[in-house]
Amino acid sequence: MQKIEIDPISRLEGHGKIAIFLDDAGDVAEAYLQIPELRGFEQFCVGRPVEELPRITPRICGV
Amino acid sequence: MPDKFKFAFMPSASCGGCEIAIVDIDEVILKVAELADIVYWPTALDFKDHHLEALPDGSITVGFFNGAVRNDHDVHHAKLLRQKSAFVVAFGACAQMGGIPSLGNFWTTEELAHRMYDTVPSVNNPEGTRPQLKYDAPEGELTLPRAMDRAYALDQVIDVDYYLPGCPPQVKWIVAAVEAVASGELPPKGTVIAGTKAVCDECPRERSEEKQVTEFKRIHLVENDPEKCLLEQGIMCCGPATRDGCEAACVTAGQACRGCFGPTDNVNDMGAKLASAIASITVADAQEEADRILGHLDDPAGYFYRFGLAKSMLGVQRGEFKPEAE
């Protein structure tokens, strides 16, 4: 099966890649979006003073 | 030197704020365009790895790398940028010293993943599905980069020539860096392109000769006097240990400094420097009194290493892993 991979997805903040599989007729059989990034905001925000979070969570996405 | 310089902007474990900072130079971008061709910038234009791989080694004048190094794909990108660039600039707090993502270094990557994929309230994942490095989908194989054991600063992975600090870097220092390249008057290798003093030195707030703190308070519990030093009002501020050059932007806006420009010169560990600064202004006659005052400093790890845990001498400190407590 032919595979078209778009890696990285450009012109955006964040990280992503797309895999598109084509069948014998050249039609899309399946497409996958993958997010290849791990930073851990879900954990390292826990326990911080709540008034500090407006200065931490904007760094999830700064665009 | 070539007729026209070549610049590359490489994103990594970052938020995109550094890329916005580049755009924030406004009309100066036209001067940059006159001066240099941008040969790689996937956040703004449709560049792929093969575009960078196809360039001759050392042909990029300056490679700007933003973000921490968090997975093996980031490592590959860092090494590739190094190979292709005459100079590499660690652009922004994450590349300089790990940044916010390195706050995760208090935990193992497995602990972070456990939180993210198993227990965070917005996730429903009873089967415990995790990202796989290789996945055999019915149509073919899918792969993901391998997360490293922690977040690294860029110079822990490759040789770095200069540092442009800040979260995000400030326009005037980006312009200063570009002008240095244009004029050929480059500072010594390893220079942090920013101020050389502490944030307190350019802070407009009044401070007394001898700071005396008898209590630390959270900022919303204080009638914050906009004219007075925040530390003297008992509000934790990282200004004494933080490199200047931001024109005390946060402090001027009524928020305490959190150290995004990193430590001043000749400081090995920002947290140690801050602990020392805090100790020198805390007034206590007895240990119990010191304990009481410092006990109100709620989150010293989060204050002292907000942007720079990857570069701390602490290395990696592990949190206690208690999945059943979630």
Side-chain angles (χ1 to χ4, degrees):
Chain A
M1 204 172 256
Q2 197 193 335
K3 181 183 182 187
I4 299 170
E5 194 161 65
I6 301 169
D7 180 23
I9 306 172
S10 57
R11 290 157 293 177
L12 89 166
E13 192 292 305
H15 298 250
K17 62 183 199 178
I18 296 172
I20 303 166
F21 291 95
L22 304 180
D23 62 20
D24 294 339
D27 293 329
V28 174
E30 193 61 86
Y32 294 89
L33 168 67
Q34 293 175 281
I35 311 298
E37 193 179 33
L38 176 149
R39 288 180 294 174
F41 281 83
E42 297 89 336
Q43 178 62 57
F44 65 65
C45 288
V46 175
R48 308 254 170 260
V50 68
E51 69 273 16
E52 293 294 321
L53 292 187
R55 311 183 73 187
I56 297 175
T57 53
R59 277 75 182 199
I60 294 171
C61 176
V63 171
Chain B
M1 280 289 178
D3 294 337
K4 211 169 178 188
F5 299 117
K6 289 186 171 65
F7 289 170
F9 299 100
M10 173 68 82
S12 187
S14 55
C15 72
C18 287
E19 323 259 355
I20 294 297
I22 298 164
V23 181
D24 274 347
I25 65 177
D26 293 334
E27 72 279 5
V28 179
I29 196 89
L30 297 173
K31 277 194 214 163
V32 174
E34 269 175 35
L35 189 73
D37 286 328
I38 295 172
V39 295
Y40 184 83
W41 191 8
T43 308
L45 300 158
D46 190 22
F47 284 112
K48 307 295 185 205
D49 284 8
H50 67 82
H51 292 112
L52 194 53
E53 284 158 4
L55 296 171
D57 288 357
S59 64
I60 297 169
T61 319
V62 187
F64 296 88
F65 187 102
N66 74 75
V69 178
R70 195 66 186 82
N71 63 39
D72 58 4
H73 203 202
D74 298 338
V75 174
H76 171 71
H77 276 155
K79 290 181 173 171
L80 186 59
L81 190 70
R82 177 70 274 180
Q83 184 187 335
K84 302 296 178 185
S85 306
F87 296 100
V88 169
V89 174
F91 190 85
C94 293
Q96 185 198 3
M97 50 186 179
I100 294 273
S102 72
L103 277 177
N105 292 359
F106 284 117
W107 292 268
T108 64
T109 293
E110 174 50 32
E111 286 162 348
L112 297 179
H114 175 65
R115 170 75 177 161
M116 293 162 69
Y117 299 112
D118 299 329
T119 66
V120 82
S122 55
V123 163
N124 179 19
N125 183 16
E127 291 172 7
T129 304
R130 292 289 183 87
Q132 304 295 311
L133 298 182
K134 279 191 181 167
Y135 174 65
D136 287 319
E139 301 80 15
E141 189 181 81
L142 300 171
T143 61
L144 282 173
R146 180 190 298 275
M148 317 250 298
D149 59 329
R150 64 186 185 99
Y152 291 85
L154 185 61
D155 66 6
Q156 293 170 325
V157 178
I158 60 163
D159 189 37
V160 169
D161 297 292
Y162 300 110
Y163 302 85
L164 255 170
C167 185
Q170 301 289 296
V171 168
K172 74 171 182 178
W173 297 111
I174 300 172
V175 172
V178 170
E179 283 173 349
V181 173
S183 67
E185 291 170 18
L186 295 166
K189 182 172 171 164
T191 296
V192 180
I193 302 169
T196 55
K197 293 178 178 173
V199 169
C200 295
D201 290 298
E202 56 178 9
C203 178
R205 290 174 182 253
E206 287 170 26
R207 52 197 161 128
S208 50
E209 282 300 306
E210 297 223 350
K211 283 191 179 41
Q212 297 198 325
V213 176
T214 53
E215 190 171 10
F216 279 101
K217 293 166 238 163
R218 290 167 69 174
I219 195 161
H220 58 293
L221 300 176
V222 185
E223 289 256 9
N224 176 352
D225 181 340
E227 306 292 324
K228 262 186 73 179
C229 169
L230 286 164
L231 266 176
E232 286 178 26
Q233 298 180 67
I235 298 162
M236 176 58 204
C237 180
C238 301
T242 304
R243 182 182 296 276
D244 70 347
C246 62
E247 294 167 18
C250 292
V251 186
T252 307
Q255 287 288 334
C257 173
R258 287 291 172 262
C260 76
F261 266 49
T264 49
D265 283 331
N266 305 319
V267 172
N268 282 329
D269 189 281
M270 182 122 180
K273 173 77 177 171
L274 272 167
S276 164
I278 296 302
S280 70
I281 58 169
T282 303
V283 182
D285 297 329
Q287 186 64 42
E288 294 76 28
E289 180 66 355
D291 289 346
R292 185 191 65 79
I293 296 168
L294 296 176
H296 290 167
L297 202 59
D298 291 289
D299 180 23
Y303 293 133
F304 294 180
Y305 296 108
R306 175 67 55 85
F307 290 93
L309 188 59
K311 292 290 278 182
S312 165
M313 291 194 297
L314 289 179
V316 185
Q317 289 288 306
R318 303 302 195 192
E320 196 179 345
F321 186 43
K322 292 186 210 161
E324 60 284 349
E326 297 278 347

